[in-house]
Amino acid sequence: MMRAKAGADHGGGEACVEALQKALAAYEADGVTMGKSLFLAMLAEAQSACGDHRGGLHSIAAARQFVAQSGEVAFVPELHRLEGELLLGADPKAQARAETCFNSALEQARCQNAKAWELRAATSLARLWLQQGRRAQSRALLAPLYAWFSEGHTGGDLLAARTLLEQIAG
């Protein structure tokens, strides 16, 4: 799963989506279930990167069904956030629905005290608000959360948040 995910993150395209699907099938065939919602989220991201937003939404729906059956809630904030991103990818006019997803992701992350998921959700919501001209709201949401982190500002989600904060300020 992780090798296929890494390939997808580096533009591996359809081959990586297929590799993720095969890895997920092998994972399930072994009878392992822990982390399945995260793996389905990874598949949804890869599908989205290939332009298959509907397929990604289907993977998110499968992850939600798994969560309902298993009680595995650790990745629920990310599922909400990804759903919002996929909705926007499928239809840029789906901003209200996406905003609802991002707010749900924030709420779930805060309930779990999961700052990394909260940062991702806040970045997605702030980006949407910035596109809508809601610059002050974007900054008010993202800046304090970004400031909460004391290290790791040179990569990944924190870099994306900082870049967005620079766009908001600009």
Side-chain angles (χ1 to χ4, degrees):
M1 288 296 297
M2 301 314 283
R3 191 174 20 237
K5 169 70 167 122
D9 287 347
H10 291 93
E14 290 291 329
C16 289
V17 170
E18 290 175 20
L20 281 164
Q21 289 169 329
K22 286 179 184 176
L24 184 58
Y27 186 76
E28 290 172 330
D30 286 342
V32 182
T33 60
M34 187 173 77
K36 182 178 175 180
S37 60
L38 177 62
F39 296 147
L40 285 164
M42 290 168 29
L43 175 59
E45 273 189 303
Q47 289 167 313
S48 177
C50 290
D52 184 11
H53 305 294
R54 298 283 177 215
L57 287 167
H58 178 75
S59 295
I60 294 297
R64 285 181 186 271
Q65 183 178 8
F66 174 75
V67 166
Q69 293 169 348
S70 69
E72 180 181 85
V73 298
F75 308 111
V76 168
E78 182 65 352
L79 296 177
H80 285 292
R81 186 195 72 80
L82 282 172
E83 182 177 6
E85 294 289 354
L86 287 160
L87 287 167
L88 288 173
D91 179 8
K93 295 178 184 175
Q95 293 182 2
R97 289 176 55 207
E99 185 170 350
T100 298
C101 291
F102 297 149
N103 278 315
S104 294
L106 278 170
E107 180 182 328
Q108 291 292 317
R110 288 172 179 155
C111 285
Q112 294 178 6
N113 198 26
K115 290 293 188 185
W117 295 138
E118 185 179 354
L119 178 69
R120 293 188 105 196
T123 301
S124 290
L125 183 56
R127 186 177 298 112
L128 175 63
W129 283 350
L130 181 60
Q131 291 169 356
Q132 295 172 340
R134 297 160 67 182
R135 188 175 298 273
Q137 280 182 283
S138 296
R139 179 158 178 60
L141 172 66
L142 191 55
L145 187 56
Y146 176 80
W148 182 88
F149 290 88
S150 60
E151 56 187 43
H153 288 89
T154 59
D157 296 332
L158 286 167
L159 181 58
R162 184 178 75 216
T163 301
L164 182 57
L165 283 167
E166 289 168 357
Q167 290 173 358
I168 292 168

